[in-house]
Amino acid sequence: MEAQALDKDLQKEHQEKIRKVISEVGKVVIGQEYMVNRLLVGLFTQGHILLEGVPGLAKTLTVNALADVLKLDFQRIQFTPDLLPADLVGTMIYNQQKAEFEVKKGPIFANLILADEVNRSPAKVQSALLEAMQEKTVSIGDTTYKLDRPFLVLATQNPIDQEGTYPLPEAQVDRFMLKVHVDYLSKDDELEVMRRISNMSFNPQLETILTKEDIFSIRNEINQVTVSESIEKYIIELVFATRNPLEYKLNDEAQYIQFGASPRASINLNLAAKAMAFFNERDYVLPEDVKEIADDVLNHRILLNYEAEADEVTTHDIIKTILSKINIAK
């Protein structure tokens, strides 16, 4: 009983630290609590995040601030058209003094990777990044190296600036746990941003809140969150509704869906819902947890056809309808 009480106390401590992380990042970034929350979901469930939004919405600044609050090794990689895979993972260099080749590791060897404007680099570079994300290893020469744990990739892309870009194929985008659409700030938040940035002396010092040990412990606690069989079946129904909309009487939506969500959607929706429950200080998942995170898990895994584009129907519209029509079994 004492051990269980101690675990509960530790969970409360970690949940308080999570709130502090969001608050600490808020010293630098205004009005992006939603984005910070989703970044933490990825961190604690070992899922990589794709951030999409127009320029100037503090995507890069938010990740930088989060890295300062977490005691993790951080690397920012600016993706450009001339970037090579070796610039990312590393290469073999010749040491003239020793007359032998040595390994020079690339910036991928860090805990937190910011892949800035990931769609500006060609397919070979994107593939090198996504291979590291999937396998958690990197091969240089004849040697394979394990990446440090925790390892999290936060990639950003701008949706409106397509000139000189190489859009990620749907199969590769599927490897991201969440695709978070970052929206414009409210008037009040943007007013506060303007005032802060206009103050030339504005330079807040961020406090380190979480260590690696905290992160591994929180991951274990989230893993202990209970998902009932009815919630599990609810998740499956939501995912299958994207694949077979006619079976779920989604007749209007069926004409727009070319491909539904992959099995990764079911896995990641389950994991993300557990994280949301933990953030809300519960050790069990409710349907509300699933609904809250469903759009971020599913929106990049549903491929729409040209008819949807012509009618200005988005994946967000499809997901919203599915959530409204699919009910959890009693």
Side-chain angles (χ1 to χ4, degrees):
M1 294 296 290
E2 290 182 359
Q4 290 180 353
L6 181 63
D7 289 342
K8 289 292 184 182
D9 290 340
L10 187 59
Q11 287 180 20
K12 291 291 185 183
E13 179 185 334
H14 286 150
Q15 287 161 346
E16 178 61 29
K17 283 186 175 182
I18 290 171
R19 287 191 290 271
K20 285 184 178 179
V21 166
I22 297 174
S23 175
E24 200 70 14
V25 174
K27 291 180 180 179
V28 176
V29 183
I30 305 298
Q32 295 293 8
E33 292 83 3
Y34 179 91
M35 179 176 22
V36 177
N37 177 280
R38 294 325 191 240
L39 294 178
L40 291 175
V41 168
L43 177 67
F44 297 136
T45 57
Q46 305 185 67
H48 308 289
I49 311 292
L50 181 60
L51 300 173
E52 183 175 84
V54 297
L57 296 182
K59 299 184 295 295
T60 302
L61 179 61
T62 301
V63 177
N64 273 309
L66 184 62
D68 289 339
V69 177
L70 305 174
K71 199 173 183 180
L72 298 175
D73 294 329
F74 170 70
Q75 287 285 351
R76 176 182 180 274
I77 307 169
Q78 181 64 52
F79 279 60
T80 56
D82 60 348
L83 196 71
L84 299 174
D87 298 326
L88 185 69
V89 302
T91 187
M92 303 286 290
I93 60 173
Y94 186 72
N95 187 321
Q96 291 184 339
Q97 293 180 340
K98 296 182 179 179
E100 62 182 22
F101 283 94
E102 294 180 346
V103 172
K104 182 182 180 182
K105 293 183 178 180
I108 198 73
F109 288 89
N111 300 123
L112 195 61
I113 304 295
L114 172 58
D116 218 353
E117 296 186 298
V118 68
N119 56 336
R120 285 200 170 276
S121 286
K124 284 186 177 181
V125 180
Q126 293 176 1
S127 296
L129 174 68
L130 293 166
E131 181 181 356
M133 289 166 50
Q134 186 75 14
E135 306 298 333
K136 304 293 194 301
T137 60
V138 167
S139 295
I140 304 174
D142 296 329
T143 308
T144 299
Y145 299 89
K146 288 186 177 180
L147 295 171
D148 296 335
R149 296 178 60 238
F151 176 71
L152 180 67
V153 172
L154 308 174
T156 71
Q157 65 178 11
N158 298 326
I160 62 172
D161 185 13
Q162 294 301 326
E163 185 176 350
T165 62
Y166 304 82
L168 291 169
E170 285 78 8
Q172 293 183 338
V173 173
D174 188 46
R175 296 188 184 185
F176 287 94
M177 179 183 194
L178 307 176
K179 182 180 180 183
V180 181
H181 287 266
V182 185
D183 209 346
Y184 287 109
L185 300 176
S186 66
K187 290 181 181 179
D188 290 340
D189 286 336
E190 189 153 342
L191 177 62
E192 179 63 22
V193 169
M194 182 180 68
R195 287 171 174 169
R196 287 193 182 188
I197 301 303
S198 298
N199 182 356
M200 302 295 288
S201 61
F202 177 70
N203 185 28
Q205 300 300 312
L206 299 182
E207 177 187 352
T208 300
I209 305 296
L210 290 176
T211 65
K212 287 185 181 181
E213 290 72 22
D214 289 326
I215 293 170
F216 293 139
S217 183
I218 291 172
R219 284 182 175 179
N220 182 61
E221 290 161 9
I222 289 176
N223 193 46
Q224 303 300 319
V225 172
T226 301
V227 184
S228 67
E229 185 176 353
S230 61
I231 296 289
E232 290 177 336
K233 289 182 178 179
Y234 176 57
I235 290 172
I236 296 298
E237 293 295 325
L238 292 176
V239 173
F240 269 69
T242 70
R243 302 176 192 167
N244 309 298
L246 290 176
E247 293 183 14
Y248 293 83
K249 299 181 180 179
L250 297 167
N251 299 329
D252 293 337
E253 290 69 29
Q255 62 181 317
Y256 299 123
I257 299 176
Q258 186 172 354
F259 293 105
S262 73
R264 284 194 182 102
S266 305
I267 297 167
N268 290 327
L269 190 50
N270 183 54
L271 286 170
K274 291 168 74 172
M276 297 306 296
F278 184 82
F279 289 178
N280 291 319
E281 300 187 12
R282 280 184 276 100
D283 58 2
Y284 56 91
V285 173
L286 294 176
E288 288 72 19
D289 299 315
V290 178
K291 292 178 180 179
E292 187 176 354
I293 199 71
D295 187 271
D296 300 300
V297 174
L298 296 174
N299 75 83
H300 57 302
R301 294 186 161 94
I302 300 173
L303 182 61
L304 303 184
N305 54 30
Y306 290 110
E307 189 174 350
E309 184 176 353
D311 292 344
E312 297 183 344
V313 174
T314 67
T315 54
H316 306 289
D317 299 326
I318 300 290
I319 294 165
K320 185 177 180 180
T321 301
I322 290 174
L323 290 173
S324 67
K325 291 189 176 182
I326 305 299
N327 298 314
I328 187 169
K330 299 295 184 181

